[in-house]
Every structure is written in C-alpha cells, then in structure tokens.
C-alpha cells in the first residue's frame, strides 16, 4: 500500500513538473516572438470597439437561433478567478482588472433566453465594447500577448477566470478551436448572415479592417513562412515572387470574404499555405487555374493547397450578398420566372454559393412540393456566369502574363545562377506563360453554358444504359445560366479515404467508364479533377459533373494516341516524339 502511495506521489510530481516546463516553454515562446505587425490591428479595434462588439453580438445571436447548436453547446459562461501571474508581469494589473470586470458583466448578460430581444442585443454590445477596447489596448501595448488570446489553452491557464470566460466565447471560432469545426459545421453561414444584417457603413469599415488584417498576415506571416518552407529550394525564385504579386491584387471586398474563410477554417488546417490558397480562391478565374499550374512546381505541403484552391472559391462576386442579389436578378428574368419561380423555396436571407466554377458559381435552392411533382427532384443547382467575364479574363490574363514575364526577366539577369538552374527556372516561367494562355483560351470557350448540356447528353448516351457513372440532367440552359440536377455525394477525395475496402471497385468503375469514353467512343473529357467527380457516402454512386471542356477524337487520332502510349511503355523516346 505504501508503495502505491509512493508511486502516486511520484506520478503527481512528474505531472506538475511537465506542466511547469510546458508553462515556462510557452512563456519563452511568447517573449521571443515578434508581433509588431499586430499593433495597427489592435489600434483599429481600440479606435472603434463598438463596431466589433456589434459584429460579435450579431454572430452569437445567429448561433443562438440555431436550435441544434443552442441545445448542444451554448451555455452560460463560467465564472471564477485564478492566477494572473504571467499577464501581470507583462502588463499592468489595472488593465487586467478592467478586462476581468468587463468579462464578469458579459457573463451576467450572456443568457440564451434573452437573445431574442433587441434590448439584450444592445446590452451585450454595451458590455462587450469596453472589454474589447481594454483587450485591444492591452495587446497594443505588448503585441506578444496576442499569442495568449489566439491560444485557448494558454488563455485559460494564464488568464485565470477571465481567460476561461473569454475562451468559452472564442471556442466557437474554428481557427482558434479544434472542436469548433465539428460542433458548428454551419458557422461560416452564420457568420455571413450576421454580416449581411449589418449596416452598409459597418460592413465597409469591417472590410477595411479585414484588408488591414489580411495584408498583415500575408506579408508578416504567410509569405515569410512559405519562404522558410522553400529555403533550400531554388524554385523559390519563381514561386515566391509569383505568390507575392498575386496577393497584392486581393481587393478590400475580397479581403472580408478571405477573413471569414480564414476564421472558419479548422485550426489544424490553418497553415501559411492554406491562407495563401484562401486568398487566391477569392480572386477566382485565371488565378485559380494558374495556381494549379504553379502547384506542379511546389513542395507537397504548398502544392496540395494550391491544387485544391478552387474547392472554396468565391461566388459570382467576392461579396456573398452581391452575388445572391445577382442570382435573384437571373431568377426574375421573364423566361426563367415563368419556368421556376412558383416552384422554388427561396431563403429569406442571402446564401453563399454551393460550389465554384472557373467562369461562375453554382447555387443550391430547394423546390417546394409542386416543384418536386413537376421536376422529380427536391433541390436544384443553378449555375450562373460572372458578368463581364470576357473583359475580366483578358485583364487577369494580362496581369498574370506581366507577373510571369517580370520574374522571367529577373531570372535571366540573375548572375548568381548557374546555367543549368537558369534554364530550369526559365522553363518554369515558360510553363506558367503557356498555362495562362491555354487556360485563357479554355475559359473563353466555356462561356456558352449550352455546350455543357450538349456534352452531358453526349456522354450519357455514350455510357449507355448500364453506365457505372451517372451524369446530371439539365432542365433549362442559356448561354449565361443553367438549371441542373444535383447529384448525390461530395468531392471524391473527401470520402474515398475512408472507404478502404471499396477503393478498388470505385476506381474500376470510374476508370473503365473514362477509358470507354476515350478509346471506344473518342469522347475526351478534359477536366476530370476530383472536384468534378462525386462519390455518395451512402450508396457509393459515382457521378461526373461540369463536362466542359469536352471534345471528340476521330479514329485516327485515337489510334495515334494509343501508339504513343505503347511507345512510352516500351521506352521508345524517338517513337514517342514522332507520334
């Protein structure tokens, strides 16, 4: 028995020792980091705390209105007060007491049953405002403290009772909490809804703040960290300046969407590469396509983010509200209204897009009972083209070409490079220039959505009655919009990783269908990336969507292509080049 007690004491001592080491390590980390770039951000919050109090209040009101989230996780904030030793040594005790008093006031007001009343909204804003101002002043006087406020465990451990209360609030933000993404899957939509309900003046001010924050993160965090990843990589002479120049083009309107996407990204995924990818998503168009070309030249961590950058790209415009208004304009056109308006169940608030496309965005709308009887589906996907896209693509092509040529000139004139490396880097620039030109031509040919329906009908007929891959039905198409069936499932790479036993069958069905189209029918679908291939988690049904670009090879071309593949397998270099 004595031995057991001795062992228990030893375990407790070891645990305390580990915690002390961890705490000291955290303190050293905080003291050694440079966060001067945080000062102007803290100054902006301190200068207008009422705005950010309204933003936070609106966000929590939207969360509280969701019965699933409310029942599960929104609880009265904890009270209590523990040691403030670390913050007390870094900042004044008076400031800490101000924060503690403010958070006590928030705790008293933060009660779910009061969220429905306007008076409660006003009260919560009033008690949040001084807390935000105090915290901003605290961080502005010592920017290193931002480490504590963005690390919930540090916040709770080092800030005592006030830290526990603040952590209860911040746990709803996926970028700060690992659990938030799983607990609150709709958090991005609720964040957008809260911003939609703000005044135009508040949104404009928040956009300016987001622009300041995102540019600081790009230049002080993302690009330097990517530089560290590429430290021993000669290709950084092309990759880094290309990314830097692209990030300079992010407009303030897109910065707000980038900011929302960033704070709604799970903490474990929010890497410098991910932040850069999010920014490129908001630029859209040829920037997305060029990012995919650039990804072939990058290390795996950065390449993975750039390859998937289109998955969460923006809607028709960077502003979700503006994009939704444009969708409503399409729906109110005479030829569309007569076909669809009486069958659609339109939401009362603007909704974000369902998926992004190179030339536009896709929105999901529900059909009412009459709509289900007429069309045989419960939801409909509406793909709409961005206005003025021809001119926009020309501008984007010119920007990207200018960036690539500027880097190419710099590489050519760099005397520190050996000839083999100079040739390689010039080849990278040539590949980027070719990619920009090819994607510009491809996107230009995709501007007539009617071709997509023709391609889908052609592919469906070619696959026959026993097709192993489904093709969506198209209900109405126009040059700039189309109405189509929503296929079950999600991007294939999101679900196939958990389907180890079924992988071979999934791959066999997909590849045999594609090879049948290519070699038996001569139909070439030229954009079979994972975002265009859906897999149903429930039934394992496969679907191919967005069948643009799609073209047909004659028999001679197919035979030549087969010949080239055989020569490649045989290692016949001259024969491959000849073919």
């Amino acid at each position: 028995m004595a031995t057991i007690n001795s062992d228990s004491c030893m375990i407790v001592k070891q645990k305390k020792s580990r915690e002390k080491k961890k705490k000291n390590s955290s303190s050293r980390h905080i003291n050694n980091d440079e966060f001067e770039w945080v000062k102007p951000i803290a100054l902006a919050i301190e200068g207008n705390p009422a705005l950010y109090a309204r933003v936070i209040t609106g966000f929590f009101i939207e969360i509280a209105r969701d019965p699933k989230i409310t029942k599960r996780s929104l609880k009265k904030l904890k009270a209590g007060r523990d040691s403030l030793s670390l913050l007390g040594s870094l900042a004044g005790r008076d400031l800490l007491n101000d924060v503690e008093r403010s958070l006590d006031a928030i705790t008293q007001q933060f009660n779910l049953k009061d969220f429905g009343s306007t008076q409660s909204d006003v009260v919560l804003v009033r008690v949040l405002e001084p807390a935000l101002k105090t915290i901003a002043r605290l961080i502005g006087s010592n920017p290193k403290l931002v480490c504590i406020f963005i690390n919930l465990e540090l916040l709770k451990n080092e800030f005592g009772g006030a830290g526990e209360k603040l952590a209860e609030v911040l746990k709803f933000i996926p970028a700060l909490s690992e659990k938030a993404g799983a607990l609150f899957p709709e958090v991005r939509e609720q964040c957008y809804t809260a911003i939609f309900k703000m005044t135009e003046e508040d949104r404009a001010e928040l956009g300016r703040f987001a622009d300041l924050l995102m540019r600081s993160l790009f230049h002080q965090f993302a690009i330097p960290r990517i530089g560290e990843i590429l430290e021993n990589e000669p290709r950084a002479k092309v990759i880094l300046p290309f990314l830097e120049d692209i990030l300079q083009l992010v407009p303030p309107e897109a910065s707000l969407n980038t900011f929302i996407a960033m704070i709604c990204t799970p903490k474990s995924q929010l890497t410098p590469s991910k932040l850069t990818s999010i920014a490129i998503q908001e630029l859209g168009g040829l920037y997305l396509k060029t990012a995919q070309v650039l990804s072939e030249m990058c290390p795996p961590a950065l390449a993975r983010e750039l390859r998937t950058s289109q998955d969460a790209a923006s809607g028709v415009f960077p502003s979700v509200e503006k994009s939704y208004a444009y969708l409503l304009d399409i729906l109110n056109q005479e030829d569309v209204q007569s076909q669809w308006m009486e069958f659609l169940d339109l939401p009362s608030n603007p909704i974000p897009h369902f998926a992004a496309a190179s030339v536009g965005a896709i929105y999901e709308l529900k059909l009412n009972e009459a709509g289900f009887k007429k069309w045989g589906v419960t939801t409909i996907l509406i793909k709409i083209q961005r206005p003025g896209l021809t001119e926009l693509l020309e501008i984007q092509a010119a920007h990207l070409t200018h960036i690539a040529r500027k880097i190419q000139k710099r590489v050519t004139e760099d005397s520190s490079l050996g000839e083999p490396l100079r040739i390689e880097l010039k080849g990278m620039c040539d590949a980027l220039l070719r990619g920009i030109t090819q994607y510009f031509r491809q996107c230009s040919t995709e501007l007539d959505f009617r071709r997509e329906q023709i391609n889908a009908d052609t592919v469906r007929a070619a696959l026959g009655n026993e097709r192993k891959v489904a093709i969506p039905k198209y209900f109405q198409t126009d040059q700039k919009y189309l109405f189509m069936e929503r296929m079950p499932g999600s991007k294939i790479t999101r679900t196939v990783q958990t389907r180890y036993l079924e992988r071979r069958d999934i791959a066999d069905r997909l590849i045999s269908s594609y090879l049948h189209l290519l070699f038996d029918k001569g139909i070439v679908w030229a954009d079979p990336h994972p975002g265009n291939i859906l897999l149903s988690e429930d039934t394992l049904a496969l679907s191919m969507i967005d069948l643009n670009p799609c073209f047909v090879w004659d028999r001679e071309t197919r035979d030549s292509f087969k010949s080239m593949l055989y020569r490649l397998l045989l290692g016949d270099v001259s024969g491959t080049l000849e073919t």
Side-chain angles (χ1 to χ4, degrees):
M1 191 72 171
T3 305
I4 295 175
N5 288 337
S6 175
D7 290 344
S8 300
C9 291
M10 181 63 68
I11 291 171
V12 171
K13 287 180 180 179
Q14 289 174 347
K15 183 179 179 182
K16 288 183 177 179
S17 176
R18 286 195 300 270
E19 289 176 350
K20 185 176 180 181
K21 287 180 181 179
K22 183 178 178 182
K23 186 172 180 179
N24 291 338
S25 175
S26 299
S27 300
R28 285 194 299 273
H29 176 71
I30 292 170
N31 286 322
N32 290 334
D33 276 348
E34 275 299 328
F35 287 97
E36 288 301 305
W37 58 273
V38 173
K39 281 188 175 181
I41 296 167
L43 186 64
I45 297 175
E46 186 182 358
N48 192 358
L51 167 66
Y52 304 102
R54 289 194 293 274
V55 172
I56 294 171
T57 298
F59 170 60
F60 278 102
I61 287 172
E62 292 306 319
I63 285 183
R65 284 176 177 160
D66 186 326
K68 299 187 296 294
I69 293 177
T70 298
K71 182 178 179 181
R72 185 170 54 219
S73 298
L74 260 182
K75 299 176 182 178
K76 192 173 180 180
L77 296 181
K78 295 178 181 178
R81 186 182 184 92
D82 298 315
S83 170
L84 303 177
S85 56
L86 177 62
L87 284 177
S89 65
L90 295 176
R93 175 69 61 180
D94 291 341
L95 284 176
L96 298 175
N97 290 335
D98 287 346
V99 173
E100 179 74 8
R101 283 193 293 272
S102 297
L103 289 168
D104 279 335
I106 295 170
T107 302
Q108 294 169 14
Q109 293 297 332
F110 203 92
N111 194 316
L112 288 179
K113 66 181 181 181
D114 297 329
F115 259 112
S117 68
T118 305
Q119 182 182 4
S120 176
D121 305 351
V122 174
V123 170
L124 188 55
V125 169
R126 190 167 66 243
V127 296
L128 265 174
E129 186 177 341
L132 288 174
K133 186 168 186 175
T134 302
I135 291 171
R137 187 165 75 250
L138 180 66
I139 293 176
S141 65
N142 196 326
K144 291 185 287 292
L145 293 180
V146 75
C147 283
I148 293 177
F149 288 94
I150 63 177
N151 186 316
L152 301 192
E153 289 305 313
L154 272 177
L155 186 62
K156 287 190 283 189
N157 292 338
E158 309 292 0
F159 210 160
E164 288 190 6
K165 294 174 216 170
L166 193 55
E168 285 295 312
V169 176
L170 297 178
K171 74 176 185 180
F172 292 97
I173 302 175
L176 302 181
S177 170
E178 293 290 357
K179 298 179 180 178
L183 291 173
F184 319 117
E186 305 300 324
V187 70
R188 183 179 299 198
E189 184 174 344
Q190 289 153 350
C191 193
Y192 278 126
T193 301
I195 291 175
F196 295 150
K197 293 180 178 179
M198 296 169 60
T199 65
E200 189 174 337
E201 183 180 356
D202 277 357
R203 274 202 306 272
E205 181 62 32
L206 188 61
R208 286 189 285 271
F209 170 79
D211 192 50
L212 170 66
L213 175 61
M214 297 316 300
R215 291 190 185 282
S216 296
L217 287 172
F218 293 150
H219 300 303
Q220 303 292 332
F221 173 70
I223 291 298
R225 295 289 178 86
I226 291 174
E228 292 173 9
I229 295 172
L230 299 172
E231 186 175 7
N232 299 315
E233 176 57 71
R235 290 175 291 180
K237 289 182 177 291
V238 172
I239 297 167
L240 267 181
F242 208 96
L243 291 175
E244 284 181 310
D245 283 351
I246 286 179
L247 293 177
Q248 289 286 350
L249 299 170
V250 180
E253 187 181 34
S255 290
L256 182 54
N257 276 12
T258 303
F259 170 65
I260 294 173
M262 180 196 75
I263 64 174
C264 294
T265 299
K267 184 178 180 180
S268 59
Q269 298 176 22
L270 196 57
T271 61
S273 303
K274 183 67 174 181
L275 184 60
T276 303
S277 174
I278 289 172
I280 294 174
Q281 290 165 12
E282 294 304 328
L283 286 169
L286 291 179
Y287 295 106
L288 284 171
K289 296 293 189 181
T290 306
Q292 292 172 7
V293 177
L294 197 64
S295 71
E296 302 303 324
M297 310 168 185
C298 294
L302 178 56
R304 184 168 54 252
E305 300 294 354
L306 293 178
R307 284 194 195 105
T308 59
S309 58
Q310 186 169 316
D311 294 350
S314 67
V316 182
F317 303 102
S319 163
V320 175
E321 187 174 28
K322 188 176 179 181
S323 297
Y324 187 70
Y326 187 72
L327 170 62
L328 293 180
D329 288 342
I330 297 290
L331 294 176
N332 284 316
Q333 290 182 13
E334 185 176 348
D335 55 338
V336 177
Q337 191 177 48
S338 60
Q339 286 272 6
W340 292 98
M341 286 301 279
E342 65 176 296
F343 303 116
L344 294 174
D345 185 10
L346 292 176
S348 56
N349 292 316
I351 57 172
H353 60 288
F354 172 77
S358 303
V359 296
I362 300 171
Y363 290 82
E364 180 184 25
L365 292 178
K366 293 181 180 179
L367 296 182
N368 55 31
E369 188 175 346
F372 174 71
K373 289 180 180 178
K374 179 176 176 62
W375 303 103
V377 293
T378 56
T379 61
I380 195 82
L381 294 184
I382 306 173
K383 184 175 180 180
I384 54 178
Q385 192 177 121
R386 294 182 180 90
L389 199 56
T390 302
E391 296 79 7
L392 179 63
L393 290 173
E394 289 175 353
I395 292 170
Q396 291 183 341
H399 280 165
L400 289 166
T401 300
H402 173 73
I403 293 171
R405 285 181 175 160
K406 182 175 68 173
I407 297 171
Q408 189 177 50
K409 184 174 184 292
R410 190 182 305 167
V411 166
T412 303
E413 296 173 352
D414 190 342
S415 58
S416 67
L417 299 175
E419 192 58 25
L421 180 57
R422 181 182 287 106
I423 292 172
E424 180 186 352
L425 297 183
K426 285 177 67 178
M428 288 175 62
C429 293
D430 288 340
L432 283 168
L433 286 166
R434 284 197 306 273
I436 294 164
T437 302
Q438 290 169 0
Y439 279 130
F440 174 64
R441 289 173 180 168
Q442 176 185 320
C443 288
S444 298
T445 62
E446 294 178 24
L447 296 184
D448 188 345
F449 285 175
R450 291 171 295 191
R451 292 180 60 87
E452 186 172 330
Q453 179 177 4
I454 294 171
N455 291 339
D457 292 342
T458 302
V459 170
R460 190 184 301 106
L463 289 174
N465 295 328
E466 297 182 3
R467 58 182 181 272
K468 301 172 183 177
V469 179
I471 308 297
K473 298 175 184 176
Y474 288 73
F475 302 108
Q476 183 178 354
T477 55
D478 181 81
Q479 184 176 349
K480 298 186 181 300
Y481 63 82
L482 59 82
F483 290 71
M484 61 183 287
E485 175 188 12
R486 180 191 172 179
M487 306 306 288
S490 57
K491 177 181 173 181
I492 190 169
T493 48
R494 289 179 182 167
T495 52
V496 76
Q497 298 299 329
T498 62
R499 293 290 188 169
Y500 296 101
L501 299 179
E502 298 94 343
R503 279 185 184 185
R504 176 167 294 187
D505 174 65
I506 293 169
D508 285 347
R509 284 188 286 137
L510 180 62
I511 294 171
S512 63
S513 296
Y514 192 85
L515 294 179
H516 169 70
L517 289 172
L518 179 62
F519 292 112
D520 295 338
K521 301 295 183 179
I523 298 172
V524 183
W525 177 34
D527 197 22
H529 67 77
N532 284 340
I533 302 169
L534 306 184
L535 176 67
S536 170
E537 180 71 20
D538 298 327
T539 65
L540 299 185
L542 281 165
S543 308
M544 296 194 305
I545 60 173
D546 196 5
L547 296 167
N548 252 342
C550 199
F551 49 91
V552 178
W553 279 351
D554 58 26
R555 175 59 64 180
E556 182 180 355
T557 305
R558 276 179 270 167
D559 290 343
S560 295
F561 186 66
K562 289 177 185 177
S563 176
M564 184 188 73
L565 292 178
Y566 288 136
R567 290 170 187 263
L568 276 171
L569 291 171
L570 294 171
D572 181 359
V573 177
S574 60
T576 302
L577 292 173
E578 180 185 347
T579 307

